[in-house]
Amino acid sequence: MHSTRTVARQLQHLVVGVIAAVALLAAAPSATAQTLQQVVKERGLTQQDVLAAAKTYVPTGKRDEFVAFASGGQSGMVIVYGVPSMRLLKYIAVFNPEPWQAYGFDEESKAVLDQGRINGKDITWGDTHHPALSETAGDYDGQYLFINDKANPRLAVIDLHDFETKQIVVNPIFQSQHGGAFVSENTEYVIEAAQYAAPLGGDYAPLERFNEDYRGGVTYWKFNREKGRLDASQSFSLELPPYSQDLSDFGKLASTGWSFTNSFCSERYVGGIERGRPPFEAGCSAKDTDYLHVINWKKAAQVAAAGKVKMINGHKVIMMDTAIKEGLVFLIPEPKSPHGVDVTPDGDYITISGKLDSHTYVYSWKKIKAAIDAKNFAGKDPYGLPIIDMKTALHTQVPLGLGPLHTQYDSKKGIAYTSLYVDSMVARWDYINGKLLDRLPIHYNIGHLMTMHGDTVKPRGKYLVALNKLAIDRFQPVGPLHPQNHQLIDIGGSKMSLLYDMPLPLGEPHYVVGIEAGLLKPAVRYKVGTNTRTGEISPHKTRAGEERTERSGNKVTVHGTLIRSHITPEIIEVNEGDELTIHLTNLERAQDQTHGFTVSKYNVNGSWEPGKTATVKFTADVPGVFPYYCTEFCSALHLEMQGYVLVKPKGYKAKVGELMAKDQYTQADYEKQVKACVETQAVIDGVVGFITGQNYKDFPPVVALVDDATAQLGYAEGPKGKAEEEAANGNYHSATLWAGQWWQYQVKAADIGLRAKTYLEQHGSKPVK
Ligand code: CUK
Ligand code: CUA
């Protein structure tokens, strides 16, 4: 028990230390520091390097101006990082289990992953390509993020209030998809376009019946913003020809109500080298043009609501004959093997790049709309869809370079950026006047690029991120599989300049979206008892003092709690073969006080953020003694945040004399512990005096800390009472232990109080009179 007083003294030292550190900050830099010139010389930096460093460095404690959400490619995740620092902030697990966030480990998140099962199979990965932020009036609103899985046609919804995946939907009629997720101006719909044609609904048909039985299509998923979920019952699709529909974009402002989806392999070529046929890649790039699909989605939604649909797998599909009759779909030839289709911020133009054409094509919405209104069609495709002549719809063609792919926009009107895959360059150009302005070499073979809010009605300019397909020699080699390379480019000046290379070691991100950090409003805690995956209060919410273990037959159910530094219950006794369900609630209100939970050797794992309730289940089929513990280093007594699952072997009989440890503490021990408590209380009183003497209520983080400290101190009351009761009865062993528990809560309160005090000192609080 000698350590009690030491810790109390350490707390006092901490207070002194903090004051000293604050004083140091204000003092002049130390004389031994190197000068900037010395560092530049020693490290062989150029002036350009130093400028790039200064433009991207975010000083300690400061935050980035923008936050980027990148697809994690084959990892099935989303990667979150800051711009311009390119510091990683989070991986959000979406289509794959991920242990740290316990996604796919607790029952609540398993239920989300289960929504993504296809044909009764677990699919535990995804080929994520396109993240899309929710929009209000055509600009990001910071509320939701959507992401697609190309391999297994699925979409997921992430709530940006807590950065967790809430929903996965499986496309009911496609076998794969690519042109998603993209959202309409007010996130009414999220679009998903098929990629590789197949019979709609998953039926079999031989390849000989490709033209007749294979189909492409586009699905419009209705988003219910109040619920924060996609609504399958209000969603619909359009049947389209088997043209390998590719990327999509929604119209905006001038082109509101319309969407655009391009395609490749409109040749409808079917390869089959083993059947003596030339390969897909040859036959799929034979023609000079493919088709852009121009779709009136507002009208299509009305047609679907009116029931002019065929139900396939319980899903509304507007068949092509209906689409033709109702005037919903129009085709325009586009440069061959196109990739991106990107509507300009004003909605007036649509830019499309053909991977095999060195020009980027700018289509005029005004011209397209006029042709549709005048029924000015050049002909029909083999399925009867009207075709608008390319020349009628084209505004201009601009030679930008080889292998143009994707386009994003600048805050300056008329300025666009296009990735040049073959040239490994970014082109800056003017889409209104059709002029190339600047080109910047990047490393190497760029796919997508992204500017801040670059696909909205209000791009913010400033930075561009190039998503390069190869890293080759840019980083320390780590084996044949190289990291990805996101290169940050300054687009604020008259010339583009390269600022930073960021290796991304998690799958191949295809697209990324960047939002002003201030638009995100993430929560720091949940209401106590929240099932975070549904947002509802869990029926298994457990308050302090309500913890219980119940048995019904061979089913044992635990309702427990987590709070620094203990798990309640601390002992769970079951019989071999029992089914064990453990519902835990994290009672913490303090920011960043997450607890983990594992039972050794049973593949049980979970993560409880403040306020969360979640459930782990397992069958105790192996007898033995299995420790459980908290897996997050949450306090000085984190290692002591432990317990045991005792799995009694079948037929086990307790032997006489099996007792808990013998009494060892005396009255002297008890008095020593009480003295430590009294001393610690003096430290707390000092800190409280300081805080309440300041205008602390003007600092919301401090108010939250004070709440937490007060709660911790409140918890001390119970053990204090028990200690005094036991001491009065002469049970000094028990009294000493309860006094120790009383002191634990005091230490936590003091720790939090000191953090609050430091915050006030560093943020210029003032004494109140
Ligand atoms: S795609 Cu991969 S570089 Cu799926 Cu948008 Cu273009
Ligand atoms: Cu809770 Cu460690």
Side-chain angles (χ1 to χ4, degrees):
M1 283 291 140
H2 86 279
S3 70
T4 44
R5 195 173 304 164
T6 316
V7 175
R9 214 173 288 135
Q10 274 170 354
L11 286 171
Q12 279 160 327
H13 285 165
L14 217 88
V15 180
V16 176
V18 166
I19 294 166
V22 172
L24 248 180
L25 274 179
S30 135
T32 56
Q34 289 173 294
T35 66
L36 179 62
Q37 274 77 9
Q38 282 169 331
V39 174
V40 166
K41 194 166 161 234
E42 266 174 35
R43 301 196 66 209
L45 301 176
T46 65
Q47 201 188 343
Q48 193 62 31
D49 294 334
V50 175
L51 194 58
K55 281 179 178 177
T56 54
Y57 180 65
V58 174
T60 173
K62 295 269 166 24
R63 298 190 191 163
D64 279 298
E65 188 180 354
F66 296 96
V67 174
F69 294 86
S71 79
Q74 303 89 331
S75 75
M77 300 207 209
V78 166
I79 303 161
V80 188
Y81 61 80
V83 174
S85 78
M86 309 301 270
R87 294 182 300 189
L88 284 174
L89 297 169
K90 191 166 210 170
Y91 294 144
I92 306 170
V94 182
F95 296 110
N96 58 302
E98 192 285 311
W100 186 36
Q101 298 156 76
Y103 185 57
F105 289 83
D106 61 53
E107 296 300 312
E108 288 75 3
S109 61
K110 273 186 196 166
V112 177
L113 273 175
D114 283 353
Q115 296 165 12
R117 289 170 64 91
I118 300 179
N119 298 329
K121 286 186 179 58
D122 283 327
I123 298 187
T124 54
W125 80 292
D127 188 11
T128 59
H129 278 230
H130 304 111
L133 286 159
S134 58
E135 295 182 9
T136 298
D139 197 10
Y140 302 151
D141 54 37
Q143 293 184 3
Y144 294 94
L145 183 80
F146 307 91
I147 185 131
N148 72 324
D149 171 9
K150 172 173 165 159
N152 321 288
R154 301 184 292 179
L155 277 182
V157 180
I158 295 160
D159 190 338
L160 294 178
H161 136 273
D162 60 0
F163 287 52
E164 275 196 354
T165 303
K166 305 298 180 186
Q167 185 187 23
I168 296 175
V169 293
V170 179
N171 191 290
I173 60 168
F174 299 153
Q175 298 295 85
S176 67
Q177 62 107 302
H178 189 213
F182 300 94
V183 304
S184 56
E185 280 163 294
N186 287 296
T187 324
E188 297 93 339
Y189 287 94
V190 183
I191 203 169
E192 188 185 23
Q195 179 107 88
Y196 304 113
L200 294 184
D203 287 346
Y204 174 80
L207 281 163
E208 286 73 12
R209 302 268 315 156
F210 190 86
N211 292 352
E212 296 79 17
D213 294 346
Y214 285 52
R215 288 290 177 269
V218 177
T219 300
Y220 296 85
W221 285 96
K222 179 78 187 154
F223 184 60
N224 181 328
R225 199 185 274 263
E226 277 92 81
K227 293 205 173 115
R229 302 292 184 270
L230 297 167
D231 181 352
S233 71
Q234 302 287 313
S235 304
F236 65 94
S237 295
L238 274 101
E239 177 201 37
L240 292 175
Y243 293 159
S244 297
Q245 280 76 31
D246 197 43
L247 295 192
S248 306
D249 201 3
F250 273 97
K252 41 175 106 79
L253 300 175
S255 45
T256 290
W258 294 76
S259 69
F260 307 91
T261 298
N262 52 24
S263 63
F264 62 88
C265 204
S266 59
E267 292 87 350
R268 295 179 291 165
Y269 180 75
V270 179
I273 302 179
E274 41 296 282
R275 295 185 186 180
R277 294 168 60 84
F280 272 106
E281 58 184 307
C284 281
S285 54
K287 283 202 314 178
D288 279 342
T289 56
D290 285 295
Y291 287 123
L292 171 69
H293 303 69
V294 178
I295 300 173
N296 187 339
W297 66 262
K298 273 219 171 126
K299 198 166 168 199
Q302 290 161 7
V303 169
K308 297 177 197 169
V309 294
K310 180 176 170 186
M311 296 303 283
I312 303 180
N313 291 341
H315 173 74
K316 298 186 196 104
V317 183
I318 302 173
M319 303 306 280
M320 269 193 287
D321 51 354
T322 307
I324 294 164
K325 216 181 304 155
E326 301 280 346
L328 304 179
V329 183
F330 306 89
L331 301 177
I332 308 176
E334 54 182 358
K336 79 165 157 188
S337 299
H339 201 36
V341 46
D342 299 286
V343 178
T344 56
D346 50 18
D348 286 338
Y349 301 99
I350 301 122
T351 59
I352 296 176
S353 298
K355 299 189 289 284
L356 302 178
D357 191 317
S358 60
H359 294 77
T360 291
Y361 290 48
V362 183
Y363 292 83
S364 154
W365 171 245
K366 225 191 248 160
K367 290 183 181 179
I368 295 171
K369 187 68 185 6
I372 292 171
D373 290 344
K375 297 200 171 28
N376 176 15
F377 303 127
K380 287 177 185 167
D381 85 334
Y383 299 91
L385 292 172
I387 299 172
I388 299 168
D389 185 56
M390 188 197 268
K391 279 196 224 84
T392 308
L394 209 57
H395 168 63
T396 185
Q397 271 167 293
V398 193
L400 298 180
L402 298 179
L405 297 185
H406 297 285
T407 297
Q408 290 261 294
Y409 300 98
D410 201 336
S411 52
K412 300 179 197 87
K413 188 164 170 61
I415 303 301
Y417 299 86
T418 295
S419 50
L420 303 174
Y421 177 83
V422 177
D423 274 339
S424 293
M425 284 185 163
V426 171
R428 172 193 266 174
W429 58 291
D430 174 337
Y431 57 85
I432 298 174
N433 301 303
K435 271 203 313 250
L436 175 64
L437 302 172
D438 186 21
R439 301 208 301 173
L440 181 80
I442 54 85
H443 316 82
Y444 301 88
N445 297 88
I446 178 172
H448 273 272
L449 41 62
M450 179 273 281
T451 57
M452 305 302 115
H453 290 238
D455 57 10
T456 72
V457 297
K458 213 178 145 212
R460 305 297 202 267
K462 291 197 174 186
Y463 304 104
L464 181 148
V465 176
L467 283 71
N468 306 331
K469 295 300 178 194
L470 302 175
I472 304 189
D473 56 358
R474 303 301 286 179
F475 306 112
Q476 165 66 33
V478 287
L481 180 63
H482 293 243
Q484 298 284 312
N485 186 5
H486 283 201
Q487 281 188 309
L488 183 70
I489 293 163
D490 181 355
I491 56 170
S494 59
K495 285 265 163 206
M496 293 182 279
S497 68
L498 185 58
L499 295 176
Y500 196 78
D501 279 27
M502 175 172 66
L504 266 186
L506 193 83
E508 183 201 330
H510 285 257
Y511 185 40
V512 54
V513 283
I515 181 174
E516 271 178 14
L519 291 170
L520 298 167
K521 306 266 185 273
V524 297
R525 64 181 70 80
Y526 295 105
K527 264 197 203 142
V528 173
T530 303
N531 171 344
T532 68
R533 301 293 165 172
T534 63
E536 320 257 301
I537 295 297
S538 166
H540 305 297
K541 161 182 170 174
T542 307
R543 289 195 192 82
E546 291 176 349
E547 298 92 348
R548 60 203 183 270
T549 300
E550 292 155 330
R551 168 180 291 279
S552 161
N554 70 335
K555 292 186 172 51
V556 176
T557 306
V558 176
H559 283 84
T561 59
L562 304 163
I563 192 154
R564 281 157 291 167
S565 313
H566 58 260
I567 303 167
T568 310
E570 300 194 323
I571 300 164
I572 302 172
E573 276 184 282
V574 297
N575 300 318
E576 181 182 350
D578 282 349
E579 284 170 32
L580 190 48
T581 302
I582 304 174
H583 306 288
L584 294 174
T585 298
N586 181 350
L587 297 174
E588 303 281 358
R589 304 315 293 143
Q591 203 164 330
D592 206 8
Q593 283 300 340
T594 295
H595 299 287
F597 178 80
T598 177
V599 179
S600 298
K601 292 190 169 180
Y602 265 113
N603 194 34
V604 167
N605 167 50
S607 171
W608 282 261
E609 295 79 44
K612 176 169 161 179
T613 293
T615 304
V616 291
K617 272 188 179 174
F618 64 100
T619 301
D621 50 5
V622 179
V625 173
F626 301 91
Y628 55 82
Y629 66 93
C630 168
T631 58
E632 285 270 338
F633 206 114
C634 52
S635 68
L637 290 168
H638 151 77
L639 291 178
E640 291 80 351
M641 197 164 169
Q642 62 168 55
Y644 285 107
V645 177
L646 302 170
V647 184
K648 272 185 253 170
K650 285 209 173 90
Y652 179 79
K653 291 265 180 322
K655 294 177 196 84
V656 183
E658 284 179 344
L659 289 172
M660 297 297 273
K662 284 211 191 73
D663 287 1
Q664 33 180 304
Y665 302 119
T666 62
Q667 185 172 359
D669 291 316
Y670 174 70
E671 279 160 8
K672 204 155 123 193
Q673 179 62 69
V674 170
K675 190 157 175 276
C677 290
V678 170
E679 283 172 1
T680 305
Q681 193 58 48
V683 176
I684 293 171
D685 292 344
V687 173
V688 169
F690 174 82
I691 294 171
T692 52
Q694 301 282 304
N695 57 336
Y696 80 96
K697 290 197 174 135
D698 297 337
F699 301 87
V702 173
V703 173
L705 287 169
V706 168
D707 281 353
D708 185 30
T710 310
Q712 291 290 341
L713 217 47
Y715 291 129
E717 288 304 314
K720 181 171 184 268
K722 282 189 182 137
E724 286 161 358
E725 201 184 307
E726 295 280 17
N729 292 329
N731 299 329
Y732 287 109
H733 177 74
S734 193
T736 307
L737 291 173
W738 282 117
Q741 185 62 33
W742 159 22
W743 184 74
Q744 293 302 337
Y745 285 118
Q746 287 183 310
V747 169
K748 282 173 242 171
D751 177 43
I752 300 158
L754 284 169
R755 240 187 288 160
K757 183 170 186 283
T758 306
Y759 188 98
L760 289 176
E761 285 164 345
Q762 291 179 346
H763 290 79
S765 66
K766 306 237 162 37
V768 283
K769 274 142 223 139

